[in-house]
Amino acid sequence: MKFDIAVLPGDGIGPEVIDAAVKVLSAVQSKAGHEFRYHYEDIGGAAIEKHGVALTPQALKTCKASDAVLLGAVGDPKWDNPWAKVRPEDGLLALRKHLRLFANLRPVKVLPMLIDSTPFKPEILRGVDMVVVRELTGGLYFGRPKRQWRTSRGRRAVDTMSYSEAEIERIVRSGFELARSRRKKLTSVDKANVLESSRLWRQVTIEVSADFPDVELDHQFVDACSMRLIQRPSEFDVIVTENTFGDILTDEASMLSGSLGMLPSASIAGIPLEGMRTFGLYEPIHGSSPRRARLNMANPIATILSAAMMLQYSLALPGEARAVDRAVQEVLEEGCRTYDIMSDGFTKVGTDEMGELIARKISA
Ligand code: IPM
Ligand code: MN
């Protein structure tokens, strides 16, 4: 089969982790006899530098014409001025919004060989296997008004957390559908004791639950959930939550797997039916980590696992996706570690080498 993949390396460590993931995809393509056609475009600071905007209409067009988008990371301290007219992050937010990718799936798994590289006791991590479904095109990130201004009594700023019933319904439905295909437990996370948007979120969630009597639903406040996530993480199956809450909870949850550099994500417009393909954007949950850029240090596994999610959801190649997951585990089992998951007695490798080792496992 032939597939078109838009590749957006972005900023900081983005280009390095993308190179490693493309190496792995190329191994998949030769092994399985597919043809992946890569279409490179700029995004974020790299796009501002060259084109003056964080996402060009051309890049958006390339993404729309592709079967999937693979993205590295955006963000560069050079553009961190609060009054900046263009920001690298805007490119990513615009891309998610324009492509209508409202469901961001962030699986959190604990690989047994990495338990010792986490700060947790092994018994806490036993059986941890959850997916956070983060709403991605609404909530506090996109609500209006959103601005900063000067008043006679100093500066002032506003952001708005806003949701329509329809926006809540479609994301919660995705959560239920995913839970139905797993351990049938859905935790909806909100702040309904304080926020009006959360009260609507909870009402709509309860209404949607009528269509999923086989899925056990519970509600948690986001503050309590952040505690439970590290107290009893194995109790979670699927979590569904607002954009900002999901952003924060998944950085926290990444520590369960050992590093922010381990967690992949898939952004899609709803869960596809078994065996069906859907367009999607695939990116690691980590940022551009500018201080580690160009040092051949960054852990490419989050991006490689994101490419595996792309194989599963957008290319409907579940066997190939599993082969990538397996290759990652084998290389870790053999003791290779990037700096972020390194501990005594293991072999330290760089970004390139980690990608190469994983690619070689697939070709073998
Ligand atoms: C993420 C990132 C992005 C977000 C940033 C880079 C805009 O932190 O994907 O989690 O906040 O969504
Ligand atoms: Mn984040």
Side-chain angles (χ1 to χ4, degrees):
M1 289 265 283
K2 288 183 184 164
F3 298 100
D4 290 292
I5 302 171
V7 182
L8 283 56
D11 305 323
I13 58 171
E16 292 160 77
V17 294
I18 282 289
D19 280 353
V22 168
K23 224 181 271 175
V24 171
L25 283 174
S26 299
V28 169
Q29 111 175 301
S30 346
K31 178 93 179 178
H34 303 298
E35 189 186 331
F36 297 156
R37 291 177 294 216
Y38 305 109
H39 308 278
Y40 280 79
E41 294 286 353
D42 294 313
I43 191 165
I48 298 176
E49 200 84 58
K50 279 200 222 158
H51 319 285
V53 289
L55 177 72
T56 61
Q58 168 61 40
L60 185 60
K61 205 170 136 197
T62 302
C63 292
K64 283 185 173 161
S66 300
D67 295 298
V69 183
L70 186 64
L71 187 142
V74 297
D76 188 324
K78 195 171 154 191
W79 311 97
D80 266 350
N81 161 16
W83 302 100
K85 288 256 166 352
V86 284
R87 304 176 55 85
E89 289 79 2
D90 293 343
L92 178 55
L93 299 180
L95 189 62
R96 292 169 175 172
K97 189 77 175 176
H98 277 113
L99 300 175
R100 299 193 170 86
L101 303 171
F102 64 85
N104 180 223
L105 313 189
R106 299 188 158 191
V108 182
K109 270 189 220 141
V110 177
L111 300 177
M113 61 294 220
L114 290 187
I115 286 184
D116 291 335
S117 353
T118 75
F120 295 93
K121 295 194 198 109
E123 58 268 28
I124 296 215
L125 296 183
R126 200 164 300 129
V128 170
D129 179 5
M130 72 181 99
V131 181
V132 179
V133 181
R134 170 189 174 192
E135 200 290 326
L136 202 61
T137 54
L140 192 55
Y141 272 54
F142 289 94
R144 300 279 153 176
K146 177 189 198 73
R147 66 188 185 103
Q148 186 174 148
W149 69 98
R150 296 183 195 276
T151 76
S152 55
R153 278 178 295 168
R155 288 166 294 173
R156 203 174 171 87
V158 62
D159 287 286
T160 304
M161 193 185 283
S162 158
Y163 273 119
S164 72
E165 183 176 349
E167 282 177 308
I168 299 170
E169 188 187 330
R170 66 184 184 182
I171 189 70
V172 167
R173 231 170 240 290
S174 300
F176 273 110
E177 282 161 9
L178 191 64
R180 183 171 262 176
S181 71
R182 294 171 44 96
R183 302 199 308 277
K184 301 189 168 47
K185 258 188 85 176
L186 181 68
T187 304
S188 169
V189 175
D190 61 36
K191 188 69 188 174
N193 51 343
V194 177
L195 301 176
E196 211 51 61
S197 57
S198 280
R199 285 193 270 272
L200 179 62
W201 181 286
R202 197 175 278 218
Q203 286 157 15
V204 172
T205 302
I206 291 169
E207 287 156 21
V208 173
S209 74
D211 292 342
F212 298 87
D214 52 325
V215 176
E216 182 195 329
L217 169 68
D218 80 319
H219 306 274
Q220 287 182 17
F221 295 136
V222 63
D223 48 353
C225 178
S226 73
M227 177 192 71
R228 292 255 175 87
L229 258 182
I230 54 173
Q231 185 190 34
R232 284 198 290 270
S234 62
E235 286 182 1
F236 293 97
D237 179 15
V238 178
I239 290 176
V240 64
T241 193
E242 187 269 343
N243 204 340
T244 318
F245 297 162
D247 180 45
I248 297 168
L249 291 177
T250 50
D251 268 29
E252 185 194 6
S254 75
M255 284 297 105
L256 299 164
S257 70
S259 165
L260 198 51
M262 291 296 297
L263 288 206
S265 88
S267 304
I268 51 184
I271 310 288
L273 293 171
E274 179 89 29
M276 300 291 272
R277 305 210 266 135
T278 189
F279 177 77
L281 162 69
Y282 301 84
E283 51 172 325
I285 84 154
H286 63 67
S288 58
S289 191
R291 284 188 312 127
R292 311 272 181 201
R294 287 173 297 279
L295 296 175
N296 190 30
M297 272 182 92
N299 185 350
I301 292 180
T303 311
I304 291 169
L305 294 176
S306 301
M309 294 185 87
M310 175 180 88
L311 293 169
Q312 182 190 340
Y313 285 106
S314 286
L315 312 190
L317 301 172
E320 284 80 345
R322 274 194 301 277
V324 173
D325 284 343
R326 243 192 336 263
V328 167
Q329 291 186 37
E330 280 168 20
V331 168
L332 292 172
E333 230 138 52
E334 286 169 9
C336 297
R337 300 283 187 273
T338 41
Y339 81 93
D340 55 319
I341 47 175
M342 181 64 190
S343 45
D344 284 352
F346 292 97
T347 312
K348 194 157 166 183
V349 302
T351 313
D352 266 355
E353 199 177 355
M354 184 58 99
E356 189 65 49
L357 289 164
I358 295 167
R360 240 185 271 153
K361 285 282 173 211
I362 290 167
S363 311

